[in-house]
Amino acid sequence: MQTIDNSLLQVSVDENGAKMVHLVSINDNYDYLGENGTEEGMAIAFPVLDQGNNWASKLPWTVVDKGDTRVSLTLIDTPESYKSFPYHFEVMITYALEGNQLKISFYLKNSSHKELPFSLGFVLPSTWQSQSSVNKISLINEEHGIDIASTDFKLAAEDGKVTAFTDKIELEAESSRNFEITLTLK
């Protein structure tokens, strides 16, 4: 488990799946993810072209950078993953705290000599009331709130979860792309 914090927030990230399992307000020790009564945390999904091969949950993630307020983990293809998803890739996720915000950045590199088809996303369990607008979802309970915003992901709040996914994308050979989402705690 990797933990980062600043004067306002503390985040815990499980290396298994690179998923965030705790998002705690230092002021009142409130865990925004613990509210749901689940240890699921925020699940990462890649390449999600067919739901049977979510390499983000199956392959090992490695911590490649760690500071007080940020942690980066990377996922790299293996001979096993290449058999069913014949592409060489690297996915890096960075969790970085800035005041009352958590920025989650995804970096995807296609190391193959051919286009890499993929979609990328995450699922956050939530039983909170939600309000949606363009590129933003606001989650609210009696005393707390979170704004989830991104121009890189399609956001939706339904069926007890918030999802953020890209459409199917073709990443050119030997290229890379960044995606970002921001959680602002209120």
Side-chain angles (χ1 to χ4, degrees), residues 5-30:
D5 59 18
N6 64 14
S7 61
L8 300 173
L9 302 173
Q10 181 180 62
V11 172
S12 297
V13 177
D14 187 345
E15 295 96 335
N16 296 318
K19 62 185 177 182
M20 178 174 50
V21 292
H22 297 287
L23 177 59
V24 178
S25 167
I26 300 292
N27 184 39
D28 60 1
N29 202 34
Y30 182 80

Side-chain angles (χ1 to χ4, degrees), residues 91-109:
V91 179
M92 183 167 56
I93 184 169
T94 299
Y95 295 91
L97 295 171
E98 297 177 14
N100 68 332
Q101 292 186 330
L102 171 64
K103 293 187 185 265
I104 305 169
S105 303
F106 298 88
Y107 168 80
L108 176 60
K109 181 179 179 184

